[in-house]
């Protein structure tokens, strides 16, 4: 068996085209465009690379982007102040604080400072809580992109066993909730999981988000399973994921490539979230009743 490739780049392109059209319509009607702001602490080359990709995507669809690079030694209070000022700017509808932050900075305090209505990443505890209670909320981009990619390829989650490798707040935990909302049976495995292969080999859909290059091999995969690779690493000058694509492609029925799989979907979902926040802001201004964050004020 050679696995079908789940082309994230193609679907992301389609989503961006659609957003571009919707954005042009709103711009014609209101003379307003959405804006996405990025805060990057330190000049980390990997984070810079991610942000360059996100900024390019904004430009492609006509969305404004504002990037601020802050010094590595910035005080936590100064970073919080920066977030406050972005929260107050009406032309900014989405805010991203690029992770990881330096260890001395309390990441929870920082993410809580982003106004939940401008939380393009869906990392604020309020939005995480909404996801937990199955409400619509601003949902973290990578898991949202994974679900969209599965749906686009007519891969049902209902009744299926989804096994997620990695329990991060960015991918594993929100993907657990999204998969449950789709009526999947879900298992999360992590670095302390014993007998890992027992779990991975029972997965109908296996998601690798552990940050270890080529960790998942054919031995981890049930024949015919769908494999989603969230990892991205540079190994000997080549981009590889958490999945050993050469061996897994021989047993899986479908898999995401690296690059061109989950990565572009994450960016497309970021634009989608920002557009959603923008529309909510316009509705707020028009005095419309807002679900579900209406009582939070601005
Ligand atoms: N670092 C790696 N991925 C992400 C992401 O999706 N959002 C933010 N804020 N930082 C990241």
């Amino acid at each position: 068996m050679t696995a079908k490739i789940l082309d994230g780049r193609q679907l992301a392109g389609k989503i961006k085209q659609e957003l571009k059209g919707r954005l042009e319509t709103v711009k014609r009607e209101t003379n307003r465009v959405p804006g996405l702001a990025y805060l990057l602490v330190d000049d980390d080359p990997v984070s810079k690379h991610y942000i360059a990709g996100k900024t390019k995507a904004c430009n492609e669809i006509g969305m404004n982007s504002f990037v601020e690079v802050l010094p590595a030694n910035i005080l936590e209070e100064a970073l919080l102040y920066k977030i406050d000022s972005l929260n107050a700017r009406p032309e900014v509808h989405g805010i991203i604080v690029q992770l990881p932050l330096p260890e001395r900075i309390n990441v929870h305090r920082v993410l809580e400072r982003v106004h939940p209505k401008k939380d393009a990443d869906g990392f604020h505890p309020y939005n995480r809580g909404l996801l937990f209670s199955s409400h619509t909320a601003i949902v973290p981009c990578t898991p949202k992109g994974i679900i969209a990619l599965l749906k686009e390829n007519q891969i049902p989650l209902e009744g299926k066993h989804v096994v997620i490798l990695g329990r991060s707040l960015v991918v594993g935990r929100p993907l657990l909730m999204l998969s449950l909302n789709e009526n999947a049976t879900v298992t999360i495995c992590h670095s302390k999981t014993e007998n890992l292969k027992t779990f991975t080999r029972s997965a109908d859909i296996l998601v690798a988000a552990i940050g270890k290059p080529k960790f998942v091999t054919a031995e981890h995969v049930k024949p015919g399973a769908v494999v989603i690779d969230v990892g991205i690493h540079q190994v000997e000058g080549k981009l590889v994921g958490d999945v050993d694509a050469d061996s897994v492609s021989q047993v899986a029925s479908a898999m995401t490539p690296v690059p061109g799989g989950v990565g572009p979907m994450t960016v497309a979902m970021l634009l989608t979230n920002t557009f959603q926040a923008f529309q909510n802001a316009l509705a707020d201004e028009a005095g419309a009743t807002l679900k579900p964050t209406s009582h939070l004020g601005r």
Side-chain angles (χ1 to χ4, degrees), residues 50 54 96-100 121 123 142 170 266:
Y50 277 133
K54 290 168 181 175
I96 290 227
V97 183
Q98 189 66 24
L99 302 178
D121 265 324
F123 291 167
T142 301
V170 177
T266 299

Side-chain angles (χ1 to χ4, degrees), residues 95-106:
I95 301 171
I96 290 227
V97 183
Q98 189 66 24
L99 302 178
L101 289 168
E103 270 186 19
R104 64 189 169 72
I105 291 182
N106 182 335

Side-chain angles (χ1 to χ4, degrees), residues 5 31 33 39 69 79 103 108 140 163 206-208 219 223 241 252 261 290 294:
I5 295 299
N31 205 25
V33 287
L39 290 177
V69 181
L79 176 57
E103 270 186 19
H108 298 292
V163 176
L206 179 62
V207 181
E219 285 183 11
L290 251 193
S294 56

Side-chain angles (χ1 to χ4, degrees), residues 46-242:
V46 175
S47 294
K48 259 177 85 173
H49 174 78
Y50 277 133
I51 287 194
K54 290 168 181 175
T55 312
K56 181 168 164 267
C58 283
N59 292 340
E60 279 168 11
I61 67 160
M63 192 177 273
N64 286 336
S65 57
F66 313 92
V67 181
E68 201 161 343
V69 181
L70 305 166
N73 62 354
I74 189 169
L75 292 177
E76 188 172 308
E77 289 303 325
L79 176 57
L80 295 176
Y81 177 78
K82 285 279 175 200
I83 296 170
D84 289 342
S85 60
L86 291 174
N87 283 337
R89 279 173 63 179
E91 73 278 24
V92 171
H93 305 93
I95 301 171
I96 290 227
V97 183
Q98 189 66 24
L99 302 178
L101 289 168
E103 270 186 19
R104 64 189 169 72
I105 291 182
N106 182 335
V107 64
H108 298 292
R109 206 164 160 233
V110 168
L111 296 179
E112 279 175 31
R113 198 63 163 251
V114 175
H115 194 288
K117 287 185 177 183
K118 295 194 175 188
D119 174 28
D121 265 324
F123 291 167
H124 189 284
Y126 181 81
N127 286 320
R128 285 183 179 149
L130 284 180
L131 181 60
F132 220 84
S133 54
S134 310
H135 276 277
T136 48
I138 300 184
V139 173
C141 304
T142 301
K144 183 174 174 170
I146 291 170
I147 299 288
L149 193 55
L150 290 172
K151 285 190 173 175
E152 173 74 6
N153 286 278
Q154 283 93 41
I155 296 169
L157 285 109
E158 183 159 313
K160 301 298 178 195
H161 188 198
V162 174
V163 176
I164 304 166
L165 303 185
R167 55 182 156 176
S168 74
L169 289 170
V170 177
V171 183
R173 291 174 201 228
L175 185 58
L176 161 70
M177 296 314 304
L178 290 179
S179 304
L180 265 185
N181 290 350
E182 297 292 331
N183 298 318
T185 302
V186 194
T187 303
I188 290 207
C189 301
H190 48 79
S191 54
K192 301 287 186 282
T193 299
E194 293 179 2
N195 302 319
L196 184 69
K197 283 182 192 162
T198 315
F199 295 104
T200 62
R201 288 188 63 85
S202 80
D204 300 307
I205 299 170
L206 179 62
V207 181
I210 36 171
K212 291 187 183 166
K214 297 189 181 186
F215 179 87
V216 173
T217 64
E219 285 183 11
H220 293 92
V221 179
K222 177 170 79 175
V226 173
V227 179
I228 306 292
D229 192 348
V230 180
I232 186 147
H233 317 271
Q234 194 144 35
V235 176
E236 291 162 4
K238 237 186 105 190
L239 287 177
V240 299
D242 288 353

